[in-house]
Amino acid sequence: MKLLASTVLAALLALPAFSDTIPITLDIVNADGAPDGFSRSMVTANGTYPGPLITASKGDTLVVTVNNLLDDPTMRLSTSLDFDGILVNTGNSFDEGSSFVTTCPIAPNASYTYVVPLVNNQTGTFWYHSQLSVQYVDGLRGALIVYDPDDPLKDLYDVDDENTIWQVGDWWHNSTLPMLAGYVATGIVPVSDSGTFNGVGRFNGGPDVPFFVVDVVQGTRYRFRIINTSARNVFTMSVDSHNMTIIETDGMPTSPMTVNSLDLLAGQRYSVVVEANQPVANYWINAPYVGGSPARNLNQNATLSRAILRYQGAPEEEPTSPMSLGPADEELNALVEANLRPLVASPAPEADINITLNLVVTAGKAQWNVNNVSYLAPEVPTLVKILDGANSTDDFNVTENTFILPANKIVQVIFPPSEDDEEHPFHLHGNNFWLIKSNSSDEINTENPIKRDVAGVGSTGTIMRFSTANPGPWFFHCHIFWHLQAGLATVMASGLNETRAEVHPTQAWTALCPAYDALSPDLQ
């Protein structure tokens, strides 16, 4: 523990003097829970699902101590934490949290402290989750909000606090090890039992778990931060009789756009302003989802995925209106992602490098391929190999699917149109990208595209550009974690010499891999 304390202290002393440090302790424990009324052992942070809310302000530094106390052998016993959407500078890439890319997992009965400076004045809506295999399916996920005291859109809302965060997610009655074994045996991705809204859900034939209640006061405008913490499901959000004005996409402010329905792929986040401008009553917040055939899991009933918007003065009861899936077709004003614009318009830089990624599934197997390669996590993390002198693709296994890129270039990634019927939410770690062409449209927009870090890849094709001015090995993968586990991933490794020059990991980080490698397979 002295070694851990000294290396963390050294990292803190290197931080800018103006930043506030936010100490957070997360005990990763197995705890029994019943989010939808079905009781099971879970993997949790501090015993709750979702995990504790982490909040900070622009320029702060998160100091997150993770104590791995897991002991249930039906799930993975090691762990690793990723802070989804948080920008990470090269020098801090070793604390980025991607198992076998930037770090090794934390062994049982061990601790590790992530020091995460919030760089580039980043603010917005993010989340954290396990980045080891499909472990976050078992419950290790929670919200991370970075507030902006100077928010340029703050005149549009009155309330933005811990009570205005909506976390929707898929929930599963079985634990991950047997579900993963079933996926490997059949090639059929598991279908969730239910959906949850802030940790609460219902399933067919299950108990009437009380729906989560969002309290509002008539005449007040609320900034609701919506996070899809799923490992697979797409959620469609709407509020009966109310509009939603989108002002943020994956941590980036956007020009206000009013809709009455919006889809979130796994890992995506939006902030919406909802004005409580209706008569005092109870209204349904609709959160139906799709993710595989419901015929494969008869517990599933997406209509039961919802919450209640309750005006002050309304009776404490469910809304009297029917449970719908959202606005009727003739009333529908759904978000078209391609129509979103950044709050401050700017063109995307011209591309220096073009990469085309073709995604293909092997029929009947739990195997996805990117350009004919199915990603397989290496025993030695990518960053360790780079620090040890790796300089070319020949220094990495073919199955690591690692793209070697020069620093300070603009890379364009093209996903051609696909016949696959499931949209893949591709997520770039440590960085974000300009969305040049959304899968929601044929339009190519280089003049004023939004930036985000998760975008759908599917039937019409997707084009994105990112900068390698922030060198490092950055995981770039499908956020359907079953697909990630089946190989739908790459590593964008840029500026290897620059990475070696800037990355100086702590002794505590260096000790993670030997400790993990020494474990028997059942403890990993």
Side-chain angles (χ1 to χ4, degrees):
M1 294 304 290
K2 287 183 178 179
L3 176 63
L4 177 64
S6 63
T7 53
V8 171
L9 177 60
L12 291 177
L13 290 175
L15 295 173
F18 59 82
S19 66
D20 290 333
T21 57
I22 310 297
I24 299 138
T25 299
L26 298 179
D27 292 334
I28 310 305
V29 297
N30 295 115
D32 289 337
D36 63 2
F38 179 91
S39 183
R40 56 157 289 191
S41 176
M42 302 161 58
V43 176
T44 71
N46 295 2
T48 68
Y49 168 77
L53 169 64
I54 296 176
T55 63
S57 293
K58 179 169 58 179
D60 289 347
T61 294
L62 305 176
V63 181
V64 184
T65 298
V66 173
N67 301 313
N68 183 0
L69 305 175
L70 296 172
D71 58 6
D72 186 336
T74 68
M75 294 167 278
R76 291 293 290 264
L77 293 177
S78 294
T79 195
S80 188
L81 209 61
D82 176 57
F83 306 93
D84 233 41
I86 295 296
L87 303 177
V88 181
N89 280 348
T90 304
N92 207 54
S93 58
F94 66 92
D95 263 350
E96 190 271 328
S98 294
S99 296
F100 310 113
V101 178
T102 58
T103 191
C104 278
I106 305 166
N109 299 310
S111 299
Y112 183 76
T113 297
Y114 299 91
V115 179
V116 186
L118 300 173
V119 298
N120 300 338
N121 289 321
Q122 186 179 27
T123 60
T125 305
F126 311 98
W127 61 300
Y128 63 90
H129 60 79
S130 170
Q131 188 69 39
L132 177 61
S133 183
V134 290
Q135 188 182 57
Y136 88 77
V137 168
D138 288 314
L140 180 45
R141 27 185 160 162
L144 194 173
I145 309 299
V146 183
Y147 292 103
D148 184 358
D150 306 310
D151 183 5
L153 293 166
K154 63 183 177 182
D155 289 343
L156 297 183
Y157 56 87
D158 306 305
V159 181
D160 175 25
D161 59 24
E162 67 276 7
N163 298 312
T164 62
I165 300 166
W166 297 355
Q167 297 180 69
V168 293
D170 40 23
W171 189 246
W172 320 72
H173 292 174
N174 294 323
S175 57
T176 47
L177 292 186
M179 283 198 294
L180 192 56
Y183 178 33
V184 170
T186 64
I188 299 171
V189 180
V191 174
S192 72
D193 292 276
S194 62
T196 60
F197 187 111
N198 286 351
V200 176
R202 291 184 184 181
F203 66 96
N204 274 336
D208 288 340
V209 177
F211 291 114
F212 188 89
V213 174
V214 178
D215 293 308
V216 297
V217 175
Q218 191 180 46
T220 304
R221 302 166 303 169
Y222 295 84
R223 177 177 182 160
F224 292 115
R225 297 173 181 267
I226 312 174
I227 308 169
N228 184 355
T229 67
S230 291
R232 182 179 191 181
N233 291 356
V234 182
F235 279 79
T236 301
M237 306 298 300
S238 64
V239 184
D240 282 0
S241 304
H242 294 74
N243 286 323
M244 303 178 291
T245 300
I246 300 168
I247 61 170
E248 178 214 347
T249 302
D250 290 0
M252 297 298 294
T254 53
S255 181
M257 175 186 290
T258 300
V259 300
N260 62 11
S261 175
L262 65 88
D263 290 343
L264 292 92
L265 305 179
Q268 289 187 327
R269 296 93 60 204
Y270 288 98
S271 278
V272 301
V273 175
V274 176
E275 183 176 359
N277 57 5
Q278 297 299 305
V280 171
N282 291 292
Y283 299 87
W284 288 120
I285 302 172
N286 308 299
Y289 56 87
V290 293
S293 170
R296 297 192 183 279
N297 190 336
L298 300 182
N299 285 334
Q300 188 176 108
N301 181 348
T303 308
L304 297 177
S305 180
R306 59 188 53 251
I308 298 171
L309 188 78
R310 175 167 295 154
Y311 278 64
Q312 186 181 67
E316 294 185 5
E317 60 186 27
E318 293 182 5
T320 56
S321 57
M323 293 184 185
S324 75
L325 299 180
D329 289 344
E330 63 273 11
E331 301 169 344
L332 184 62
N333 176 26
L335 167 66
V336 177
E337 182 188 47
N339 293 339
L340 288 168
R341 294 292 180 265
L343 182 62
V344 178
S346 61
E350 290 296 321
D352 301 304
I353 300 167
N354 283 282
I355 297 173
T356 298
L357 299 181
N358 289 289
L359 315 182
V360 178
V361 65
T362 302
K365 293 186 177 181
Q367 183 182 64
W368 275 94
N369 306 278
V370 182
N371 292 357
N372 298 315
V373 176
S374 182
Y375 177 84
L376 184 64
E379 292 184 3
V380 178
T382 311
L383 181 58
V384 174
K385 291 185 178 182
I386 293 172
L387 296 180
D388 286 345
N391 271 318
S392 71
T393 53
D394 294 338
D395 295 319
F396 301 92
N397 300 326
V398 171
T399 52
E400 292 178 65
N401 219 356
T402 299
F403 290 77
I404 307 300
L405 303 166
N408 301 308
K409 299 294 182 182
I410 300 298
V411 179
Q412 178 165 275
V413 181
I414 302 168
F415 293 90
S418 168
E419 295 181 358
D420 183 42
D421 61 357
E422 189 161 16
E423 193 171 11
H424 300 281
F426 255 72
H427 171 52
L428 179 61
H429 281 232
N431 303 265
N432 53 21
F433 48 76
W434 291 272
L435 186 59
I436 304 302
K437 182 192 174 298
S438 166
N439 190 53
S440 66
S441 169
D442 290 329
E443 175 191 9
I444 293 179
N445 173 20
T446 60
E447 293 303 311
N448 55 355
I450 61 167
K451 295 185 78 172
R452 65 183 316 167
D453 56 74
V454 185
V457 173
S459 58
T460 71
T462 302
I463 302 174
M464 53 188 71
R465 293 177 187 170
F466 68 90
S467 170
T468 64
N470 184 39
W474 306 115
F475 217 9
F476 185 45
H477 62 82
C478 178
H479 219 300
I480 297 174
F481 260 48
W482 303 103
H483 290 170
L484 167 57
Q485 188 65 18
L488 197 49
T490 68
V491 176
M492 297 293 167
S494 57
L496 304 192
N497 287 331
E498 289 83 354
T499 300
R500 279 187 284 272
E502 294 184 37
V503 176
H504 305 288
T506 62
Q507 291 175 289
W509 178 85
T510 303
L512 285 172
C513 284
Y516 179 81
D517 293 341
L519 296 172
S520 59
D522 60 309
L523 294 177
Q524 292 183 334

